[in-house]
Amino acid sequence: MKYIEHIKSVVLFLLVSLSLLLTFMAWSYQPNYKTMEDVQVEQVYIGNKKTAEQVIKPYRILFREDDVFTGSVSSTVIDSFMSMIPKMQAQDFTLINNNLSDVKINEMQRINDRMTLFFPTDVPLPAFSTILPFSDKDLPETTFNRIIVDWSRLATSSQLQFLFISTENRTSYRSYVTVFDETKLLRGFIKPALNFAEYVEVERPDALSLYTVSDGIELTQYTYYIDEISPNLFKNILFTDPNIVQRNIESVQYEKYDDGMSLMTVDTQSKIINYVYPAAESLSLIPASRLFEDSFDFLNEHGGITADYRFSAMNLQKHVTEYQLYLQGYPVYSNDTLTRITTTWGDDRIFRYRRPYYSLIMDIPGEKTVKELASGPEILEYIKHHTDYQLQDVKDIVVGYYLVQNQNVEWFTLVPSWFMITDAGWTHITPERLGGIEYGLE
């Protein structure tokens, strides 16, 4: 028994010692953690990012001086003025009229020492404030589609008067804009405008006037090589997990990408991509400024504005924004393929995305020809007397390019043409044949 008690004491001592040792080891243990590198998700870009002033652009600048209208649609001229705007400062933004008549708008544009910037659609003012700095902290959620710029006091006060006009909402807001280099604006931009093409005002009873070049136009017809943006890049951009996306070739010119939640179809003949994520559909009200910001940010995140695409349309109820392709200052339209990028915003993400995936990369020198187009007044006379359209229904007539896909699908021809713009969209007025006036509508 004597030895048993000794043995118990030794065992108990060993157990207590082991317990103390294990406790010390647990307290003092420092695991050899390896630094885990952040998992980098590679961002996919199909083009360069754009600034707001590169997509929010007028399609025409009209000048009034010495009771004469001159104007330009040149990208060089428009970009020159738009590049000056961020260096200005606007203040005293004030509502002037919320019941503007067409007659009043016409009168405002006839005043000398003014220019009018025509935008394709109503532009949200908060979005424009990212281009033109405003001293006002709280700008209203309003829109405009014309800016009348009065430079009559520029030389003496270093200020312009900006009148923000919405022909849709019948509103007019005024802001005084300080110019920090008035000499550059006057000598480098306004004075040369006297030499621009002369425009005529076509007045209509109880309607907005139409403004168009008074003489015929010579414009170069181009044939371009095109490049394609791989649909696989769009798969990596648009789908949450590209690795689970299934690709199915439905026909010679139709492909489908599907992950069970969203769908992307590819028309390989017309070079069109259409993506939809049905779960994101939303009918909740979105302010115009936020809708523009959401669509613009979405496109910029992957460099989706791959050419001179300009903000051209917005449908607030359907959450749709559109960006129209331009070439050398002229809009491009087509029945063979898309020339617009369309986004439909959903519940905090893109719901639908429809766009072309071609790029015009290089014109073919041997395929250039000069086309002669009729004057604007001649086109209006033709519309008036030889079509079913009423002149009152015409929102504008513009010169642009009609894009035709050649049999060689890697070549696109851009034909100079007149287009009539109505609430229903655009109508192609085919150019007259040389040696006679022969028109047609498409």
Side-chain angles (χ1 to χ4, degrees):
M1 294 292 295
K2 179 180 178 180
Y3 294 106
I4 292 175
E5 292 299 324
H6 283 295
I7 292 171
K8 287 182 179 179
S9 298
V10 171
V11 171
L12 180 61
F13 174 77
L14 291 173
L15 290 173
V16 170
S17 299
L18 180 61
S19 175
L20 291 173
L21 177 63
L22 292 173
T23 301
F24 174 76
M25 292 176 65
W27 286 351
S28 60
Y29 174 67
Q30 293 183 348
N32 185 23
Y33 292 117
K34 292 183 179 181
T35 303
M36 294 181 66
E37 296 182 1
D38 292 335
V39 177
Q40 299 292 332
V41 178
E42 184 179 357
Q43 183 65 50
V44 179
Y45 293 98
I46 59 174
N48 297 321
K49 289 189 175 185
K50 296 292 182 75
T51 58
E53 62 262 33
Q54 290 177 296
V55 297
I56 300 178
K57 288 184 183 182
Y59 64 90
R60 176 195 299 138
I61 298 184
L62 188 71
F63 296 82
R64 179 71 169 182
E65 193 166 11
D66 298 330
D67 297 327
V68 174
F69 282 113
T70 59
S72 179
V73 299
S74 163
S75 291
T76 302
V77 172
I78 290 172
D79 290 346
S80 173
F81 184 71
M82 293 301 293
S83 69
M84 297 180 193
I85 291 180
K87 302 178 181 68
M88 301 178 184
Q89 178 71 48
Q91 56 273 331
D92 299 330
F93 188 81
T94 308
L95 175 64
I96 301 301
N97 195 327
N98 61 2
N99 191 27
L100 272 180
S101 67
D102 290 330
V103 172
K104 181 61 177 176
I105 295 173
N106 294 337
E107 290 175 352
M108 294 166 69
Q109 294 179 174
R110 289 192 201 110
I111 298 175
N112 285 323
D113 298 332
R114 286 186 170 186
M115 60 178 164
T116 304
L117 282 63
F118 292 77
F119 292 84
T121 190
D122 268 30
V123 177
L125 181 68
F128 194 73
S129 70
T130 64
I131 303 172
L132 173 63
F134 282 82
S135 60
D136 306 76
K137 300 298 181 183
D138 297 315
L139 293 172
E141 185 65 46
T142 188
T143 60
F144 63 88
N145 56 15
R146 297 185 187 185
I147 300 177
I148 298 176
V149 180
D150 187 320
W151 72 80
S152 59
R153 298 188 301 170
L154 179 61
T156 57
S157 68
S158 298
Q159 277 193 336
L160 301 170
Q161 183 181 208
F162 274 37
L163 298 171
F164 295 86
I165 309 295
S166 173
T167 60
E168 298 297 322
N169 301 327
R170 299 293 163 180
T171 56
S172 170
Y173 288 83
R174 181 186 63 206
S175 185
Y176 293 104
V177 178
T178 301
V179 177
F180 298 103
D181 192 348
E182 63 270 18
T183 301
K184 179 180 179 182
L185 180 61
L186 278 170
R187 295 181 181 177
F189 185 76
I190 293 175
K191 294 303 180 185
L194 291 172
N195 299 318
F196 290 166
E198 187 170 331
Y199 273 64
V200 295
E201 178 184 8
V202 179
E203 298 183 56
R204 299 181 291 177
D206 300 319
L208 291 168
S209 293
L210 298 173
Y211 303 90
T212 182
V213 286
S214 58
D215 297 325
I217 301 170
E218 288 188 350
L219 206 59
T220 302
Q221 175 174 304
Y222 296 96
T223 297
Y224 269 79
Y225 287 114
I226 66 164
D227 194 12
E228 294 183 14
I229 304 166
S230 170
N232 197 57
L233 289 178
F234 287 102
K235 180 195 76 172
N236 294 333
I237 290 166
L238 297 171
F239 288 89
T240 304
D241 185 356
N243 295 319
I244 66 172
V245 175
Q246 299 293 317
R247 177 193 178 202
N248 294 302
I249 300 176
E250 303 286 315
S251 66
V252 176
Q253 67 177 66
Y254 186 79
E255 298 178 3
K256 185 169 71 174
Y257 294 76
D258 190 357
D259 68 351
M261 289 290 291
S262 51
L263 174 69
M264 184 177 80
T265 59
V266 180
D267 184 333
T268 58
Q269 175 68 29
S270 300
K271 319 292 184 190
I272 297 171
I273 279 178
N274 187 34
Y275 169 84
V276 62
Y277 184 76
E281 185 175 15
S282 172
L283 298 177
S284 60
L285 183 64
I286 302 178
S289 59
R290 201 185 106 202
L291 179 57
F292 171 78
E293 181 183 356
D294 287 342
S295 71
F296 181 57
D297 288 347
F298 163 74
L299 290 171
N300 249 348
E301 283 173 1
H302 59 273
I305 306 175
T306 49
D308 185 9
Y309 285 95
R310 303 183 189 178
F311 177 52
S312 59
M314 176 180 284
N315 185 319
L316 278 178
Q317 286 70 36
K318 296 182 178 180
H319 301 178
V320 172
T321 56
E322 295 186 349
Y323 299 81
Q324 176 70 51
L325 176 63
Y326 279 71
L327 180 69
Q328 299 180 2
Y330 297 97
V332 180
Y333 302 104
S334 179
N335 285 318
D336 291 344
T337 183
L338 284 181
T339 59
R340 284 193 174 198
I341 298 172
T342 303
T343 67
T344 305
W345 199 250
D347 187 10
D348 292 326
R349 61 155 293 158
I350 194 70
F351 163 57
R352 188 183 298 277
Y353 183 30
R354 181 172 168 82
R355 63 164 298 143
Y357 66 90
Y358 64 84
S359 294
L360 304 173
I361 57 171
M362 185 178 66
D363 67 278
I364 304 172
E367 297 291 324
K368 288 182 182 179
T369 56
V370 176
K371 295 293 183 181
E372 185 178 336
L373 302 181
S375 68
E378 287 178 308
I379 293 296
L380 287 171
E381 283 299 305
Y382 173 78
I383 293 171
K384 185 177 179 181
H385 297 293
H386 298 91
T387 75
D388 293 331
Y389 291 93
Q390 300 295 318
L391 208 56
Q392 298 294 101
D393 297 330
V394 178
K395 297 182 70 172
D396 210 343
I397 58 167
V398 297
V399 173
Y401 282 106
Y402 186 69
L403 187 151
V404 179
Q405 189 173 18
N406 298 344
Q407 288 184 345
N408 179 349
V409 294
E410 305 307 315
W411 289 10
F412 284 179
T413 296
L414 294 110
V415 183
S417 305
W418 277 102
F419 297 89
M420 175 176 59
I421 310 300
T422 65
D423 286 333
W426 58 270
T427 300
H428 182 205
I429 306 173
T430 58
E432 69 275 16
R433 297 174 184 171
L434 295 178
I437 299 181
E438 183 173 328
Y439 306 96
L441 293 179
E442 293 182 6

PDB file of all heavy atoms in Angstrom, residues 7 36 56 71 109 174 197 246 254 266 269 313 322 351 374 384 395 400 421 428-429:
ATOM      1  N   ILE A   7       3.149   5.847  -5.935  1.00  0.00           N
ATOM      2  CA  ILE A   7       2.908   5.793  -7.394  1.00  0.00           C
ATOM      3  C   ILE A   7       1.820   6.783  -7.792  1.00  0.00           C
ATOM      4  O   ILE A   7       1.911   7.485  -8.788  1.00  0.00           O
ATOM      5  CB  ILE A   7       2.543   4.349  -7.805  1.00  0.00           C
ATOM      6  CG1 ILE A   7       3.755   3.425  -7.631  1.00  0.00           C
ATOM      7  CG2 ILE A   7       2.061   4.323  -9.258  1.00  0.00           C
ATOM      8  CD1 ILE A   7       3.452   1.955  -7.805  1.00  0.00           C
ATOM      9  N   MET A  36      -1.843  35.581 -47.539  1.00  0.00           N
ATOM     10  CA  MET A  36      -2.630  35.201 -48.706  1.00  0.00           C
ATOM     11  C   MET A  36      -2.728  36.400 -49.641  1.00  0.00           C
ATOM     12  O   MET A  36      -3.110  37.501 -49.235  1.00  0.00           O
ATOM     13  CB  MET A  36      -4.043  34.775 -48.290  1.00  0.00           C
ATOM     14  CG  MET A  36      -4.050  33.493 -47.467  1.00  0.00           C
ATOM     15  SD  MET A  36      -5.735  33.018 -47.037  1.00  0.00           S
ATOM     16  CE  MET A  36      -6.367  32.633 -48.648  1.00  0.00           C
ATOM     17  N   ILE A  56     -22.035  63.636 -74.162  1.00  0.00           N
ATOM     18  CA  ILE A  56     -23.114  64.629 -74.129  1.00  0.00           C
ATOM     19  C   ILE A  56     -22.692  65.768 -75.044  1.00  0.00           C
ATOM     20  O   ILE A  56     -21.976  66.686 -74.653  1.00  0.00           O
ATOM     21  CB  ILE A  56     -23.381  65.141 -72.701  1.00  0.00           C
ATOM     22  CG1 ILE A  56     -23.789  63.993 -71.783  1.00  0.00           C
ATOM     23  CG2 ILE A  56     -24.472  66.209 -72.710  1.00  0.00           C
ATOM     24  CD1 ILE A  56     -24.019  64.400 -70.333  1.00  0.00           C
ATOM     25  N   GLY A  71     -23.834  77.962 -89.347  1.00  0.00           N
ATOM     26  CA  GLY A  71     -23.805  76.831 -88.435  1.00  0.00           C
ATOM     27  C   GLY A  71     -22.819  75.767 -88.840  1.00  0.00           C
ATOM     28  O   GLY A  71     -22.194  75.838 -89.904  1.00  0.00           O
ATOM     29  N   GLN A 109     -33.953  82.536 -80.563  1.00  0.00           N
ATOM     30  CA  GLN A 109     -32.826  82.085 -81.378  1.00  0.00           C
ATOM     31  C   GLN A 109     -32.495  83.066 -82.497  1.00  0.00           C
ATOM     32  O   GLN A 109     -31.418  82.971 -83.099  1.00  0.00           O
ATOM     33  CB  GLN A 109     -33.128  80.687 -81.940  1.00  0.00           C
ATOM     34  CG  GLN A 109     -33.220  79.630 -80.852  1.00  0.00           C
ATOM     35  CD  GLN A 109     -33.542  78.238 -81.364  1.00  0.00           C
ATOM     36  OE1 GLN A 109     -33.528  77.282 -80.610  1.00  0.00           O
ATOM     37  NE2 GLN A 109     -33.873  78.089 -82.632  1.00  0.00           N
ATOM     38  N   ARG A 174     -32.052  80.134 -66.750  1.00  0.00           N
ATOM     39  CA  ARG A 174     -30.938  81.016 -67.102  1.00  0.00           C
ATOM     40  C   ARG A 174     -29.819  80.874 -66.086  1.00  0.00           C
ATOM     41  O   ARG A 174     -30.056  80.688 -64.889  1.00  0.00           O
ATOM     42  CB  ARG A 174     -31.405  82.477 -67.125  1.00  0.00           C
ATOM     43  CG  ARG A 174     -30.281  83.469 -67.505  1.00  0.00           C
ATOM     44  CD  ARG A 174     -30.766  84.896 -67.378  1.00  0.00           C
ATOM     45  NE  ARG A 174     -31.113  85.196 -65.985  1.00  0.00           N
ATOM     46  CZ  ARG A 174     -31.986  86.128 -65.633  1.00  0.00           C
ATOM     47  NH1 ARG A 174     -32.636  86.827 -66.551  1.00  0.00           N
ATOM     48  NH2 ARG A 174     -32.235  86.349 -64.348  1.00  0.00           N
ATOM     49  N   ALA A 197     -20.987  77.566 -92.918  1.00  0.00           N
ATOM     50  CA  ALA A 197     -22.052  77.439 -93.918  1.00  0.00           C
ATOM     51  C   ALA A 197     -23.279  78.237 -93.489  1.00  0.00           C
ATOM     52  O   ALA A 197     -23.643  78.259 -92.310  1.00  0.00           O
ATOM     53  CB  ALA A 197     -22.417  75.971 -94.096  1.00  0.00           C
ATOM     54  N   GLN A 246     -22.850  28.357 -70.905  1.00  0.00           N
ATOM     55  CA  GLN A 246     -22.916  27.393 -71.993  1.00  0.00           C
ATOM     56  C   GLN A 246     -23.113  28.134 -73.320  1.00  0.00           C
ATOM     57  O   GLN A 246     -23.984  28.991 -73.431  1.00  0.00           O
ATOM     58  CB  GLN A 246     -24.073  26.416 -71.783  1.00  0.00           C
ATOM     59  CG  GLN A 246     -23.966  25.577 -70.515  1.00  0.00           C
ATOM     60  CD  GLN A 246     -22.794  24.612 -70.574  1.00  0.00           C
ATOM     61  OE1 GLN A 246     -22.557  23.967 -71.603  1.00  0.00           O
ATOM     62  NE2 GLN A 246     -22.052  24.524 -69.479  1.00  0.00           N
ATOM     63  N   TYR A 254     -26.384  32.552 -85.757  1.00  0.00           N
ATOM     64  CA  TYR A 254     -27.017  32.812 -84.463  1.00  0.00           C
ATOM     65  C   TYR A 254     -26.380  31.945 -83.386  1.00  0.00           C
ATOM     66  O   TYR A 254     -26.337  30.715 -83.502  1.00  0.00           O
ATOM     67  CB  TYR A 254     -28.517  32.530 -84.561  1.00  0.00           C
ATOM     68  CG  TYR A 254     -29.304  32.907 -83.333  1.00  0.00           C
ATOM     69  CD1 TYR A 254     -29.651  34.229 -83.085  1.00  0.00           C
ATOM     70  CD2 TYR A 254     -29.713  31.934 -82.427  1.00  0.00           C
ATOM     71  CE1 TYR A 254     -30.390  34.570 -81.959  1.00  0.00           C
ATOM     72  CE2 TYR A 254     -30.451  32.267 -81.298  1.00  0.00           C
ATOM     73  CZ  TYR A 254     -30.789  33.593 -81.070  1.00  0.00           C
ATOM     74  OH  TYR A 254     -31.511  33.936 -79.963  1.00  0.00           O
ATOM     75  N   VAL A 266     -26.115  36.290 -80.066  1.00  0.00           N
ATOM     76  CA  VAL A 266     -25.171  36.918 -80.987  1.00  0.00           C
ATOM     77  C   VAL A 266     -25.638  36.676 -82.407  1.00  0.00           C
ATOM     78  O   VAL A 266     -25.795  35.521 -82.819  1.00  0.00           O
ATOM     79  CB  VAL A 266     -23.740  36.361 -80.798  1.00  0.00           C
ATOM     80  CG1 VAL A 266     -22.775  37.038 -81.760  1.00  0.00           C
ATOM     81  CG2 VAL A 266     -23.274  36.539 -79.356  1.00  0.00           C
ATOM     82  N   GLN A 269     -24.184  37.634 -88.418  1.00  0.00           N
ATOM     83  CA  GLN A 269     -24.330  38.262 -89.727  1.00  0.00           C
ATOM     84  C   GLN A 269     -24.407  39.787 -89.584  1.00  0.00           C
ATOM     85  O   GLN A 269     -23.697  40.531 -90.248  1.00  0.00           O
ATOM     86  CB  GLN A 269     -25.580  37.736 -90.437  1.00  0.00           C
ATOM     87  CG  GLN A 269     -25.889  38.409 -91.773  1.00  0.00           C
ATOM     88  CD  GLN A 269     -24.872  38.100 -92.850  1.00  0.00           C
ATOM     89  OE1 GLN A 269     -24.251  37.035 -92.836  1.00  0.00           O
ATOM     90  NE2 GLN A 269     -24.680  39.018 -93.790  1.00  0.00           N
ATOM     91  N   ALA A 313     -30.925  59.427 -76.707  1.00  0.00           N
ATOM     92  CA  ALA A 313     -32.329  59.184 -76.377  1.00  0.00           C
ATOM     93  C   ALA A 313     -32.431  58.642 -74.966  1.00  0.00           C
ATOM     94  O   ALA A 313     -31.512  57.999 -74.452  1.00  0.00           O
ATOM     95  CB  ALA A 313     -32.966  58.205 -77.365  1.00  0.00           C
ATOM     96  N   GLU A 322     -29.949  55.563 -74.902  1.00  0.00           N
ATOM     97  CA  GLU A 322     -29.362  55.170 -76.183  1.00  0.00           C
ATOM     98  C   GLU A 322     -28.220  56.107 -76.544  1.00  0.00           C
ATOM     99  O   GLU A 322     -28.250  57.301 -76.227  1.00  0.00           O
ATOM    100  CB  GLU A 322     -30.429  55.182 -77.287  1.00  0.00           C
ATOM    101  CG  GLU A 322     -31.528  54.165 -77.086  1.00  0.00           C
ATOM    102  CD  GLU A 322     -32.488  54.095 -78.259  1.00  0.00           C
ATOM    103  OE1 GLU A 322     -32.427  54.983 -79.140  1.00  0.00           O
ATOM    104  OE2 GLU A 322     -33.299  53.155 -78.296  1.00  0.00           O
ATOM    105  N   PHE A 351     -30.243  45.443 -66.925  1.00  0.00           N
ATOM    106  CA  PHE A 351     -31.314  44.482 -67.238  1.00  0.00           C
ATOM    107  C   PHE A 351     -31.196  44.011 -68.683  1.00  0.00           C
ATOM    108  O   PHE A 351     -31.258  42.820 -68.970  1.00  0.00           O
ATOM    109  CB  PHE A 351     -32.679  45.137 -66.993  1.00  0.00           C
ATOM    110  CG  PHE A 351     -33.836  44.417 -67.638  1.00  0.00           C
ATOM    111  CD1 PHE A 351     -34.093  43.086 -67.349  1.00  0.00           C
ATOM    112  CD2 PHE A 351     -34.672  45.076 -68.532  1.00  0.00           C
ATOM    113  CE1 PHE A 351     -35.163  42.420 -67.958  1.00  0.00           C
ATOM    114  CE2 PHE A 351     -35.738  44.421 -69.139  1.00  0.00           C
ATOM    115  CZ  PHE A 351     -35.980  43.090 -68.847  1.00  0.00           C
ATOM    116  N   ALA A 374     -28.643  67.361-102.272  1.00  0.00           N
ATOM    117  CA  ALA A 374     -29.473  68.551-102.468  1.00  0.00           C
ATOM    118  C   ALA A 374     -29.368  69.469-101.258  1.00  0.00           C
ATOM    119  O   ALA A 374     -28.882  69.079-100.182  1.00  0.00           O
ATOM    120  CB  ALA A 374     -30.930  68.134-102.681  1.00  0.00           C
ATOM    121  N   LYS A 384     -42.602  67.988 -98.464  1.00  0.00           N
ATOM    122  CA  LYS A 384     -43.885  68.683 -98.430  1.00  0.00           C
ATOM    123  C   LYS A 384     -44.803  68.266 -99.571  1.00  0.00           C
ATOM    124  O   LYS A 384     -46.022  68.103 -99.382  1.00  0.00           O
ATOM    125  CB  LYS A 384     -43.626  70.189 -98.474  1.00  0.00           C
ATOM    126  CG  LYS A 384     -44.841  71.068 -98.324  1.00  0.00           C
ATOM    127  CD  LYS A 384     -44.422  72.530 -98.302  1.00  0.00           C
ATOM    128  CE  LYS A 384     -45.620  73.462 -98.179  1.00  0.00           C
ATOM    129  NZ  LYS A 384     -45.190  74.892 -98.173  1.00  0.00           N
ATOM    130  N   LYS A 395     -39.463  66.762 -87.045  1.00  0.00           N
ATOM    131  CA  LYS A 395     -38.725  67.379 -85.948  1.00  0.00           C
ATOM    132  C   LYS A 395     -37.430  68.023 -86.439  1.00  0.00           C
ATOM    133  O   LYS A 395     -36.996  69.042 -85.920  1.00  0.00           O
ATOM    134  CB  LYS A 395     -38.410  66.342 -84.867  1.00  0.00           C
ATOM    135  CG  LYS A 395     -39.645  65.760 -84.201  1.00  0.00           C
ATOM    136  CD  LYS A 395     -39.290  64.773 -83.120  1.00  0.00           C
ATOM    137  CE  LYS A 395     -38.669  65.477 -81.910  1.00  0.00           C
ATOM    138  NZ  LYS A 395     -38.489  64.526 -80.780  1.00  0.00           N
ATOM    139  N   GLY A 400     -26.473  62.764 -92.870  1.00  0.00           N
ATOM    140  CA  GLY A 400     -25.771  61.721 -92.141  1.00  0.00           C
ATOM    141  C   GLY A 400     -25.242  60.676 -93.094  1.00  0.00           C
ATOM    142  O   GLY A 400     -25.171  60.887 -94.317  1.00  0.00           O
ATOM    143  N   ILE A 421     -36.172  63.323 -89.370  1.00  0.00           N
ATOM    144  CA  ILE A 421     -36.379  62.870 -88.000  1.00  0.00           C
ATOM    145  C   ILE A 421     -37.801  63.222 -87.574  1.00  0.00           C
ATOM    146  O   ILE A 421     -38.222  64.379 -87.666  1.00  0.00           O
ATOM    147  CB  ILE A 421     -35.370  63.523 -87.037  1.00  0.00           C
ATOM    148  CG1 ILE A 421     -33.939  63.382 -87.576  1.00  0.00           C
ATOM    149  CG2 ILE A 421     -35.490  62.917 -85.648  1.00  0.00           C
ATOM    150  CD1 ILE A 421     -33.460  61.966 -87.766  1.00  0.00           C
ATOM    151  N   HIS A 428     -34.855  57.494 -94.142  1.00  0.00           N
ATOM    152  CA  HIS A 428     -33.776  57.725 -95.100  1.00  0.00           C
ATOM    153  C   HIS A 428     -34.334  58.353 -96.372  1.00  0.00           C
ATOM    154  O   HIS A 428     -35.209  57.786 -97.025  1.00  0.00           O
ATOM    155  CB  HIS A 428     -33.089  56.393 -95.415  1.00  0.00           C
ATOM    156  CG  HIS A 428     -31.934  56.502 -96.358  1.00  0.00           C
ATOM    157  ND1 HIS A 428     -31.520  55.452 -97.146  1.00  0.00           N
ATOM    158  CD2 HIS A 428     -31.095  57.525 -96.639  1.00  0.00           C
ATOM    159  CE1 HIS A 428     -30.480  55.823 -97.863  1.00  0.00           C
ATOM    160  NE2 HIS A 428     -30.203  57.080 -97.571  1.00  0.00           N
ATOM    161  N   ILE A 429     -33.827  59.531 -96.730  1.00  0.00           N
ATOM    162  CA  ILE A 429     -34.164  60.156 -98.006  1.00  0.00           C
ATOM    163  C   ILE A 429     -32.966  59.944 -98.911  1.00  0.00           C
ATOM    164  O   ILE A 429     -31.914  60.532 -98.703  1.00  0.00           O
ATOM    165  CB  ILE A 429     -34.464  61.658 -97.842  1.00  0.00           C
ATOM    166  CG1 ILE A 429     -35.539  61.863 -96.771  1.00  0.00           C
ATOM    167  CG2 ILE A 429     -34.887  62.277 -99.162  1.00  0.00           C
ATOM    168  CD1 ILE A 429     -35.778  63.307 -96.429  1.00  0.00           C
TER     169      ILE A 429
END
